[in-house]
Amino acid sequence: MRCVIYTLRPYQKEAVENTISHFRKSSTPAVIVLPTGAGKSLVIAELARVAKRKILVLTHVKELVEQNAQKYESYGLKASIFSAGLNKKELDQQVTFASVQSLARNLELLNTFYSLVIIDECHRVSGEEDSQYMQVMKRLREFNADLKLLGLTATPYRLGLGWIYREHYHGFIRGEKDSPFNKCIYELPLRYMISNEYLTPPKKIDPAIENYDFGALKADSFGRYSESDMNSLLSTHTRATKSIIEHVLNEAESRQGVMIFAATVLHAKEIVRYLPSAETELVIGDTDNKLRDNIITRFKNKEIKFLVNVSVLTTGFDAPHVDFIAILRPTESVSLYQQIVGRGLRLDKGKKDCLVIDYAGNAFDLFHPEVGTVKPNPDSEPVQVLCPGCGFANTFWGKLDEQGKLLEHYGRRCQGVLENDAEGETVQCDYRFRFKECDHCGAENDIAARQCLSCGEVMADPDDKLRDALNLKNALVLRCCGMAAEVIKSEVLKVTYFDEDGADVSEVYDFSNKGSRFYFHKNFAKRLKTAEQVGKWNSVNEVDITTLNAPDFVIAKQHKKYGWQIIDKIFDYQGGFRVADKS
């Protein structure tokens, strides 16, 4: 075998150095985040090359097993391959490249000491004890309790599951304590890769034709749309699909390889009907493995020009000549959007750019950071929000005015790291921009908390409060869509809450009274829309009600003498009752 000596790019070398440094000090699971096309297989190969004891490299598809093994063996080194899809079940060499499915079915063969496990595309790892990855790890720890775990991925966040790691090496918290990986030890932004000419620049254009509008569909907690809902919507857009593909054909005349991402199988088959049959192939989840391999080989050899797929070629697929990405499906997150576009950003001889056209109206900027929550509305964008407590610059979804000034954000808790505790674990800043207050001790908790973190008491369920109020004859539940304020006399502020139908209820704050002023601050001081500071008002004239977040519900009771009196307000509601549209 001819030996090839690769020169690592500076960032690849730094990723390797950070890994070695981390595992010299700690055995906690770590993750490296590199964009699609950054050469993760070279990082893996170099780590495998410098390893002194047995290591295992896992991934979920045979293509990546083969790709990673070939990169390692190009150094002139010998590796074992354990993959049923590649018809090999070897474990004798110091480095083994394996598919997790094959190993999980043959755990009894893992009967020796391994020092390190590397997982490629590690965003697929879950903490479930019965998952295939966890089964393999549990078996290996029987022979090495200090087994080290490294993951590599381009997409460390998954809608519905969250961040796969807890702490970032730049000093902020992302995931939970039970996240599969403890720390991100290296990350490289896509913008760096493109500006330093390690990736092909994208050429994004907006099509001057009818787009799909998936915004009317409701996504589940994982950010996904049901196939039946998408098919129902697309069945009314057949003319749009035909005109979109005509536009694709026109734009593809000067392009070498075109990847089309469809929303559903039915949609993909419709797309194929409008494309030249001799130049087009379709790959879906049910495509036979041999047929799929043949299609991909022909596409890479440029024997076909158009490759249509449904959710199967977003990872582990490498065809550098791809220079046109057509997106005809809704994407679940910035990460997935970047994965899709990344299929066309690899460098190739004579390739100057990659055309990217989004026909599905996904309002994602390719260079946006992953925020870590579902985009709350179409006009939201990532914004920087300074924590009033520790000063950390958080990235949340929010809104900016035309001058770039922050109008509003939707962050919940500061992500800054304060220090290490006595056990050496990082402590997250406890400042909360949105919170649920404990009725027993007044402590601020996450809006989804069921038990107070401070006193341990069970938190009152907002839905129970609303349900109880709705069952009372003399109670009013107002679905608040806004509020207004007026000074009715010296230092007395009247705040009125109103719903979508014009109903309203009011309360009065006397700023000359210390207790009344305290109650106003308790309600609104930490509920400024920008929330980069804590509100402080000594006079009614200092209050600008438009800068404050209104409650989602206001509960009032009928008083014989004074009319409706507000007894409770529910902020940052996350339950099952419909919230008013405040847009």
Side-chain angles (χ1 to χ4, degrees), residues 140-329:
L140 292 176
R141 286 194 174 106
E142 293 178 13
F143 301 91
N144 178 15
D146 196 37
L147 180 71
K148 294 172 173 57
L149 174 63
L150 175 71
L152 291 95
T153 183
T155 53
Y157 175 77
R158 296 173 68 187
L159 282 175
L161 297 176
W163 294 96
I164 63 170
Y165 65 85
R166 171 164 172 75
E167 182 189 351
H168 196 280
Y169 70 115
H170 282 158
F172 53 88
I173 298 292
R174 280 237 161 116
E176 304 299 325
K177 288 188 176 181
D178 60 353
S179 296
F181 297 89
N182 179 264
K183 190 170 185 177
C184 172
I185 57 174
Y186 190 78
E187 181 171 22
L188 195 69
L190 186 63
R191 190 182 297 277
Y192 171 91
M193 295 288 294
I194 293 170
S195 63
N196 285 275
E197 299 182 348
Y198 293 127
L199 290 177
T200 303
K203 179 184 177 183
K204 188 176 180 183
I205 66 171
D206 293 320
I209 59 171
E210 183 182 358
N211 285 7
Y212 300 122
D213 181 14
F214 290 104
L217 302 182
K218 188 175 181 181
D220 63 15
S221 61
F222 291 87
R224 299 172 305 199
Y225 303 96
S226 78
E227 187 160 338
S228 60
D229 285 349
M230 286 194 288
N231 281 333
S232 295
L233 183 146
L234 290 164
S235 66
T236 65
H237 286 71
T238 53
R239 289 179 61 185
T241 301
K242 188 173 183 180
S243 63
I244 284 171
I245 299 306
E246 287 173 354
H247 187 263
V248 168
L249 287 167
N250 184 60
E251 294 290 337
E253 286 183 3
S254 60
R255 299 286 162 173
Q256 294 187 76
V258 183
M259 289 188 70
I260 300 175
F261 292 83
T264 69
V265 173
L266 201 64
H267 184 219
K269 290 178 178 178
E270 180 191 359
I271 290 169
V272 169
R273 291 202 304 269
Y274 303 133
L275 291 166
S277 58
E279 299 180 79
T280 305
E281 288 289 357
L282 169 63
V283 177
I284 59 176
D286 294 336
T287 302
D288 176 77
N289 286 339
K290 288 186 178 179
L291 176 59
R292 172 176 164 167
D293 291 346
N294 177 263
I295 290 171
I296 290 174
T297 299
R298 289 169 56 216
F299 181 67
K300 289 182 177 181
N301 292 337
K302 304 180 185 178
E303 295 170 22
I304 54 175
K305 185 172 183 175
F306 301 94
L307 185 57
V308 184
N309 86 99
V310 184
S311 302
V312 291
L313 298 177
T314 54
T315 61
F317 176 78
D318 181 2
H321 77 287
V322 172
D323 55 0
F324 183 1
I325 299 291
I327 306 172
L328 281 73
R329 55 157 290 177

Side-chain angles (χ1 to χ4, degrees), residues 24 41 46 55 64 76 93 98 152 177 186-187 213 248 267 347 352 371 373 508 513 515 560:
R24 278 176 178 164
S41 59
E46 179 64 11
I55 73 168
L64 280 175
Q93 299 296 324
L152 291 95
K177 288 188 176 181
Y186 190 78
E187 181 171 22
D213 181 14
V248 168
H267 184 219
L347 299 175
K352 295 181 179 179
V371 177
T373 53
V508 171
N513 180 285
K560 290 182 180 179

Side-chain angles (χ1 to χ4, degrees), residues 15-20 22-23 27-33 40 43-48 55-58 115-123 125 133 137 141 147-153 164 180-186:
V16 171
E17 290 171 348
N18 282 20
T19 303
I20 295 171
H22 172 78
F23 285 129
S27 292
T28 57
V31 65
I32 292 171
V33 179
K40 292 194 295 294
V43 173
I44 293 170
E46 179 64 11
L47 287 168
I55 73 168
L56 182 64
V57 181
L58 290 175
S115 62
L116 170 68
V117 173
I118 299 176
I119 300 178
D120 195 5
E121 303 294 350
C122 67
H123 56 274
V125 174
Y133 283 108
M137 295 296 297
R141 286 194 174 106
L147 180 71
K148 294 172 173 57
L149 174 63
L150 175 71
L152 291 95
T153 183
I164 63 170
F181 297 89
N182 179 264
K183 190 170 185 177
C184 172
I185 57 174
Y186 190 78

Side-chain angles (χ1 to χ4, degrees), residues 339-513:
Q339 282 275 34
I340 289 172
V341 176
R343 299 304 111 197
L345 300 187
R346 294 181 186 274
L347 299 175
D348 197 35
K349 186 177 180 181
K351 183 176 169 185
K352 295 181 179 179
D353 60 34
C354 176
L355 181 63
V356 179
I357 307 183
D358 184 355
Y359 298 95
N362 298 297
F364 286 125
D365 184 323
L366 181 61
F367 301 109
H368 273 172
E370 179 63 80
V371 177
T373 53
V374 179
K375 196 171 187 178
N377 44 58
D379 56 347
S380 300
E381 58 185 300
V383 297
Q384 190 176 85
V385 180
L386 298 179
C387 171
C390 71
F392 178 75
N394 294 275
T395 299
F396 297 133
W397 289 116
K399 295 180 181 180
L400 302 173
D401 65 13
E402 293 179 355
Q403 286 73 45
K405 180 182 177 183
L406 180 63
L407 294 174
E408 183 177 11
H409 79 82
Y410 305 101
R412 284 162 69 159
R413 181 181 178 180
C414 176
Q415 299 164 341
V417 173
L418 296 180
E419 58 188 10
N420 290 342
D421 61 16
E423 283 74 39
E425 291 191 6
T426 52
V427 177
Q428 183 177 358
C429 175
D430 62 359
Y431 188 90
R432 297 183 187 276
F433 299 94
R434 283 173 166 74
F435 53 88
K436 183 161 67 174
E437 195 173 277
C438 176
D439 292 335
H440 299 275
C441 69
E444 295 172 3
N445 290 263
D446 186 76
I447 56 179
R450 295 189 175 185
Q451 186 177 20
C452 179
L453 288 173
S454 180
C455 69
E457 290 286 342
V458 176
M459 302 278 286
D461 188 340
D463 279 350
D464 288 342
K465 288 185 177 182
L466 292 170
R467 206 173 286 112
D468 291 344
L470 288 168
N471 288 331
L472 295 175
K473 291 183 179 179
N474 64 337
L476 168 70
V477 175
L478 186 135
R479 184 183 290 114
C480 184
C481 69
M483 58 184 182
E486 63 174 319
V487 179
I488 55 175
K489 59 181 180 180
S490 178
E491 293 306 312
V492 177
L493 187 72
K494 179 182 179 182
V495 179
T496 301
Y497 309 94
F498 47 89
D499 68 10
E500 298 156 310
D501 300 318
D504 64 74
V505 63
S506 303
E507 62 184 347
V508 171
Y509 295 93
D510 183 355
F511 274 59
S512 65
N513 180 285

